[in-house]
Amino acid sequence: MASETTRIEVLDQYRSISKKLKRTFFKKPNENEALESYVDLAREWENLELPAYAGLSWHAAAKCENALGNSVGEITNLLRSARSYAKEELNNLQTGCVSQGWDTVQASLSSYLSAISKYKKDSPQAVALNLEVANFLQMIGKGDSAGNFLNSALEHCVNGELLKIHCLNLLATNSIKTGDYVAALESFTEMHNILQTLPNNGEKAQLHMECEINRVLLLLILKPPLQKLTSDLTQVLERYTWGDKNDESIKDCLMSEYVFILLESLVTTCQSADTSCLNDLEMKLWPLLNKNQRDLLRILVQIYYP
């Protein structure tokens, strides 16, 4: 780690470069020279393990690239800035320190958003960057804010159904973690609708099964009045209420008879007055579920059998 003296010396270099960039009446600033100086300074700060200061310099370098009309260089340095600020925030969380003089989360998001704005709406790079920001926000415990970037990633998924399904799955997972079960159900339902349009294969069947189980669990947790459910969601519960294992959705996801019977038992138990067998059902279902589904099942059991 850099000493306080070294930190001040390098910060003085930054101020000196910035001062040279100020336009005067007689002289136009030399953007190329400043760009090179900011890049060198950013790398020096990285070597000194001062990522927040590196982020400051990378952002200044991005402004120089913008002035020079180099959009690729501008985006590259904006992302270096964003990731440097993010690194500082993650380091602070690990060590229990606080940001030194500025909000590194906001600084990181500002650089990320500036970079994302340079891409077209249907750009896969914009999708990837929104997902990167969402992951960073989840890592620092800001799941609600992460949801905004996951929704933004979805908006950029103009083409590519599988990419849209991937984003919806991440959005649903985030909604479960933040306790927004209505939003999670909406995301899984949208996934289900997209899957219905795709040709049958093993990957589709697996995704369809995960989606089906998640929707069953979420409906049991939410307990919405039947009259407020769409016909599609009403049919989800009816499949297991009436034991219709020949339903097309069950066939599409290649659900085994054992899993179907367990879900049927779960639905009928939650709809009855006697929920004493819920713990036994939980034990049987547990090894068959993924992490999201296990979290939902635990919540469900706590609601019906506290």
Side-chain angles (χ1 to χ4, degrees):
M1 288 292 292
S3 67
E4 187 61 28
T5 302
T6 303
R7 194 192 304 265
I8 293 171
E9 288 174 353
V10 182
L11 193 55
D12 284 341
Q13 291 180 47
Y14 175 85
R15 291 178 181 134
S16 176
I17 299 166
S18 299
K19 188 175 181 181
K20 288 179 183 178
L21 261 182
K22 290 183 179 178
R23 183 186 293 271
T24 65
F25 185 76
F26 299 105
K27 187 178 179 181
K28 183 178 179 180
N30 188 330
E31 299 286 351
N32 278 307
E33 182 182 334
L35 171 61
E36 186 176 336
S37 297
Y38 280 132
V39 169
D40 288 342
L41 193 59
R43 287 173 177 154
E44 184 175 352
W45 273 331
E46 286 177 343
N47 290 334
L48 291 170
E49 297 182 30
L50 296 171
Y53 289 94
L56 184 67
S57 200
W58 285 126
H59 196 271
K63 288 183 178 179
C64 291
E65 295 281 19
N66 177 272
L68 294 167
N70 183 2
S71 59
V72 174
E74 181 185 6
I75 292 172
T76 299
N77 287 326
L78 281 170
L79 291 177
R80 285 170 174 163
S81 171
R83 289 162 182 160
S84 294
Y85 285 129
K87 183 178 180 180
E88 173 79 6
E89 184 64 24
L90 291 170
N91 287 347
N92 288 341
L93 280 177
Q94 290 175 356
T95 59
C97 298
V98 289
S99 302
Q100 299 178 17
W102 63 76
D103 186 342
T104 50
V105 175
Q106 192 54 49
S108 178
L109 294 183
S110 177
S111 292
Y112 269 123
L113 287 168
S114 295
I116 291 169
S117 70
K118 305 295 177 182
Y119 290 104
K120 294 181 180 179
K121 184 174 178 62
D122 61 348
S123 168
Q125 288 92 339
V127 177
L129 287 175
N130 274 290
L131 296 182
E132 181 177 325
V133 180
N135 183 60
F136 162 59
L137 289 169
Q138 288 169 339
M139 290 173 70
I140 62 173
K142 295 183 179 291
D144 290 335
S145 298
N148 295 330
F149 285 91
L150 291 169
N151 276 308
S152 179
L154 262 177
E155 291 172 6
H156 284 87
C157 290
V158 178
N159 301 308
E161 301 302 331
L162 288 177
L163 180 58
K164 188 175 289 187
I165 287 172
H166 176 65
C167 291
L168 282 166
N169 201 9
L170 292 175
L171 181 59
T173 299
N174 188 71
S175 297
I176 291 170
K177 288 179 179 177
T178 58
D180 191 346
Y181 303 127
V182 172
L185 181 59
E186 289 172 352
S187 295
F188 284 124
T189 297
E190 191 173 347
M191 278 179 62
H192 168 81
N193 294 338
I194 295 173
L195 286 166
Q196 294 290 84
T197 68
L198 300 180
N200 291 329
N201 56 44
E203 183 180 10
K204 174 189 172 180
Q206 180 63 34
L207 288 169
H208 203 152
M209 173 125 91
E210 290 178 6
C211 197
E212 176 79 2
I213 294 173
N214 280 316
R215 293 208 296 168
V216 169
L217 294 170
L218 285 163
L219 283 168
L220 293 175
I221 288 170
L222 291 168
K223 297 188 282 188
L226 289 177
Q227 61 270 25
K228 291 189 176 182
L229 288 177
T230 62
S231 59
D232 173 51
L233 292 176
T234 301
Q235 290 168 15
V236 172
L237 291 179
E238 285 180 348
R239 283 196 276 276
Y240 304 97
T241 303
W242 305 110
D244 187 7
K245 56 188 174 185
N246 293 316
D247 185 280
E248 286 301 317
S249 289
I250 301 300
K251 292 179 179 178
D252 285 346
C253 67
L254 304 179
M255 185 181 292
S256 70
E257 185 173 1
Y258 180 62
V259 172
F260 179 84
I261 291 171
L262 288 176
L263 289 177
E264 180 186 19
S265 300
L266 185 67
V267 171
T268 54
T269 297
C270 290
Q271 291 174 340
S272 71
D274 183 10
T275 57
S276 58
C277 65
L278 268 180
N279 283 332
D280 182 56
L281 282 171
E282 181 183 21
M283 290 175 59
K284 290 177 179 177
L285 276 166
W286 194 264
L288 306 172
L289 305 180
N290 62 30
K291 186 181 185 305
N292 274 346
Q293 293 160 353
R294 288 176 177 177
D295 290 343
L296 290 173
L297 181 60
R298 191 84 285 273
I299 291 164
L300 177 64
V301 172
Q302 289 170 352
I303 290 172
Y304 285 90
Y305 194 66

